[in-house]
Amino acid sequence: MTHIGIDLGTTYSCVVRHEGNGRDVVVPSWEGKELTPSVVYFDPDGSVLVGEDARDRLKDDRDNVVVGIKRHLGRDYLLGFHGQTYTPEAISAVILRRLAADAADFLSVDTRKLRAVVTVPAYFGAAEKEATYTAARLAGLECLELLAEPVAAAYAYGAEPQTSESSVVFDLGGGTFDVAVIGSERGVPKIWAVGGETKLGGLDWDERLNDILWEALNARMIPEEATWDDDFLAKVKAEAELVKRQLTGRESVTSRFRYAGETYAVSTSRRVFESATRDLVSHCLHTVERVMQTSTELGAAPMARVLLVGGSTRMPMIREALKKLGVPVLIHDPDKAVARGAALLASRLSAPRLGRVPAQAGRLGPVDHRISTVAPRGIGIKIHSSRLPGRSEPYILNIIPPNEPLPVRDREFTVATIVDDQEKARIELFEQAGAELSEVIEDNRPLLDSEIVKIPPARAGSPIALLISISDDGRLDEVKALFGAARTPLTVAAFIHGVVDDAEFSEQETVVCALHLQG
């Protein structure tokens, strides 16, 4: 078996193979690049393109191009191309198929021999993580486990957490944002607290630059029809991303657009860009401060450094804002750090478990001393209260709080039947949607819908114990139900919202396998 690490990103993805002695090898894409744009183009002939060529099709066939599908994982979000319907898992599986094919080709192995650690944002909820795992299955890729991106970054940076200090991992990618405080407890490395946004990243900065460019073009009296010309819209959008990158090293950038025989030159300054995105940076800093405060309350040691991860952290405004925390801000290969950390863990998972292996370059030491993580969001159950005085509306009762150490095994909560000889009961689990816990149903999002069936005849008020387990990587592992004092096991039929069920999986697997990868 060949072990690899995969950073499945919103805008770019990366594959790394760890070869020991501190040496990592970045797997090049079929186009010869270290990073693969997470862009899929559906050709009318039934084939698909993934990568730079797919992104280039935005200029002339944007209706058949998918960008940023990672933001829709764990959601009911269907896309149709040429008479076929695709889920976010299926489209993500196409990207993973491309990455696996490139790895197999570069490493001279069969794709069936690949075993991967796939990274996910730490702030991904259980549904998003389950959807990512399902995407790997649809791609025919054996996923060893899902690894939180800040943890992968900590491995890559060689951060050996000590009792005397902690590190803040600030991960700003193309579409997601994560903050995690990593330290140790009694000598064992762990994440203390996490926070972030599943829809905040470089794409949002691109949108602001896109607005700036259009404001300048309109000021230069570009014809109104340009505003609904799909080809021209795509050119301006592509230019916005390019200008963002150029402003990392320059104070201003001049762009030239050709339309209807005229050339329009517009200049964009870093000062204007930073002013237009100040609220995004402030939002990031607020999250950092909140996570740091939570970790301190939980017992984490003082912060000693900030580790930057994700290509969007190259923007000077990010580093300047983080300097206000008063600790060193470190940046090293932010585009590939997550994939490198995943590859390192994948390599360690393949090693014989001899109790201890030599640490390399200050990285992982004991095999069993993995950096443990936490549940990013609280999980609760929808309750219809029968206590007096009664509550007129149902509410969410939290069972697993945010930042609860993982794994969680058989967390128990007792409910009761409400009528005599009740034969079945509906159980709904919800996941925290905002930054704070809330009992209000609208402040949470549905996670799992289940039905307990074949309840034995009994009087109303008979207890049913619910046992909920969350895996090490944050997926909803199991929901069990036990009836009465004898704790008789009951049948639980359940599905996770936003994730394909068994029937849909078979259908989408057939669809994905039928697609021919160009290149």
Side-chain angles (χ1 to χ4, degrees):
M1 291 292 182
T2 300
H3 294 71
I4 56 175
I6 297 178
D7 175 12
L8 180 63
T10 308
T11 53
Y12 289 92
S13 294
C14 182
V15 182
V16 173
R17 159 82 170 164
H18 181 72
E19 299 194 342
N21 299 318
R23 183 168 179 261
D24 296 324
V25 175
V26 178
V27 174
S29 71
W30 68 280
E31 296 163 311
K33 303 296 179 64
E34 289 188 329
L35 301 178
T36 299
S38 302
V39 182
V40 180
Y41 169 71
F42 289 86
D43 196 292
D45 67 5
S47 63
V48 287
L49 268 171
V50 177
E52 301 220 2
D53 279 0
R55 187 175 59 185
D56 288 343
R57 297 301 179 98
L58 283 167
K59 301 172 184 176
D60 52 26
D61 193 9
R62 62 187 300 173
D63 289 341
N64 289 312
V65 180
V66 182
V67 179
I69 194 63
K70 182 175 176 178
R71 284 186 163 185
H72 301 287
L73 284 168
R75 302 288 192 276
D76 292 319
Y77 182 81
L78 299 178
L79 291 172
F81 299 97
H82 315 304
Q84 184 61 61
T85 299
Y86 299 88
T87 63
E89 293 97 320
I91 295 173
S92 298
V94 172
I95 299 172
L96 286 170
R97 272 189 64 197
R98 176 75 271 168
L99 299 174
D102 292 343
D105 182 63
F106 180 73
L107 300 171
S108 300
V109 298
D110 191 291
T111 54
R112 291 170 295 183
K113 298 292 185 181
L114 293 174
R115 304 178 76 192
V117 169
V118 180
T119 63
V120 291
Y123 206 59
F124 255 17
E128 291 102 320
K129 291 174 181 175
E130 189 64 40
T132 304
Y133 188 80
T134 299
R137 289 176 58 212
L138 287 171
L141 180 66
E142 183 176 354
C143 179
L144 291 169
E145 70 174 70
L146 303 176
L147 179 65
E149 290 168 6
V151 177
Y155 288 156
Y157 268 94
E160 286 272 3
Q162 301 176 10
T163 55
S164 60
E165 59 186 34
S166 298
S167 300
V168 176
V169 178
F170 183 99
D171 184 354
L172 185 63
T176 60
F177 169 55
D178 269 343
V179 178
V181 171
I182 297 180
S184 65
E185 186 174 35
R186 293 187 291 274
V188 178
K190 64 175 289 185
I191 284 185
W192 284 95
V194 299
E197 298 284 346
T198 56
K199 291 188 177 182
L200 177 65
L203 291 173
D204 299 284
W205 272 261
D206 293 348
E207 285 295 328
R208 298 293 175 86
L209 259 176
N210 188 67
D211 293 341
I212 291 170
L213 292 176
W214 271 109
E215 185 177 346
L217 287 169
N218 288 327
R220 283 156 180 74
M221 305 301 289
I222 193 167
E224 185 179 351
E225 55 265 30
T227 61
W228 59 76
D229 184 321
D230 287 344
D231 289 343
F232 191 72
L233 288 168
K235 290 176 183 177
V236 176
K237 192 168 186 177
E239 181 68 13
E241 182 185 0
L242 179 60
V243 170
K244 180 187 70 176
R245 294 174 179 272
Q246 292 175 330
L247 286 176
T248 296
R250 303 185 199 174
E251 290 298 324
S252 66
V253 174
T254 299
S255 305
R256 289 177 172 81
F257 299 95
R258 186 80 175 167
Y259 190 80
E262 297 290 334
T263 298
Y264 299 86
V266 297
S267 295
T268 308
S269 69
R270 184 189 294 177
R271 179 185 59 79
V272 169
F273 178 41
E274 291 182 349
S275 176
T277 55
R278 187 173 293 120
D279 62 311
L280 299 178
V281 177
S282 296
H283 186 75
C284 291
L285 279 181
H286 176 72
T287 302
V288 171
E289 292 164 355
R290 175 169 52 82
V291 173
M292 289 176 61
Q293 179 179 347
T294 298
S295 65
T296 300
E297 292 170 354
L298 292 172
M303 306 303 138
R305 65 186 67 83
V306 177
L307 309 178
L308 297 185
V309 186
S312 297
T313 59
R314 295 183 186 276
M315 294 185 290
M317 69 180 82
I318 298 297
R319 296 196 296 277
E320 288 301 315
L322 289 171
K323 286 180 181 179
K324 298 175 183 177
L325 297 177
V327 296
V329 178
L330 309 180
I331 184 170
H332 174 66
D333 199 14
D335 295 306
K336 298 183 283 294
V338 167
R340 291 184 188 281
L344 180 60
L345 178 59
S347 174
R348 293 302 175 87
L349 291 175
S350 70
R353 298 182 68 82
L354 301 178
R356 194 174 185 88
V357 295
Q360 296 170 354
R363 294 179 176 178
L364 288 171
V367 171
D368 292 325
H369 281 190
R370 300 261 305 280
I371 301 176
S372 62
T373 188
V374 296
R377 306 166 185 266
I379 294 176
I381 185 171
K382 184 178 178 181
I383 291 291
H384 296 266
S385 178
S386 59
R387 293 180 179 177
L388 295 176
R391 297 180 62 158
S392 59
E393 298 292 338
Y395 64 99
I396 303 301
L397 180 65
N398 185 252
I399 299 174
I400 298 172
N403 297 309
E404 177 81 355
L406 296 177
V408 174
R409 299 299 183 203
D410 293 335
R411 181 63 53 84
E412 186 168 332
F413 178 76
T414 300
V415 294
T417 58
I418 57 176
V419 297
D420 292 343
D421 300 327
Q422 184 173 334
E423 296 180 351
K424 58 185 179 180
R426 185 184 183 189
I427 303 296
E428 296 176 88
L429 296 184
F430 282 70
E431 193 170 46
Q432 169 189 345
E436 304 293 338
L437 279 178
S438 172
E439 291 185 344
V440 179
I441 291 178
E442 290 73 22
D443 293 339
N444 297 268
R445 67 181 182 115
L447 173 59
L448 178 133
D449 203 329
S450 62
E451 188 174 63
I452 301 171
V453 297
K454 298 181 180 179
I455 300 173
R459 296 177 66 89
S462 297
I464 299 176
L466 299 177
L467 286 77
I468 300 171
S469 296
I470 308 293
S471 66
D472 298 84
D473 55 10
R475 293 162 55 214
L476 189 58
D477 201 18
E478 188 177 30
V479 176
K480 296 185 291 187
L482 305 175
F483 182 73
R487 297 174 73 83
T488 304
L490 299 175
T491 301
V492 180
F495 70 90
I496 298 176
H497 286 271
V499 179
V500 298
D501 59 22
D502 291 341
E504 291 172 314
F505 180 88
S506 298
E507 177 185 324
Q508 292 288 289
E509 185 178 36
T510 300
V511 169
V512 171
C513 291
L515 290 169
H516 170 67
L517 287 174
Q518 293 186 33

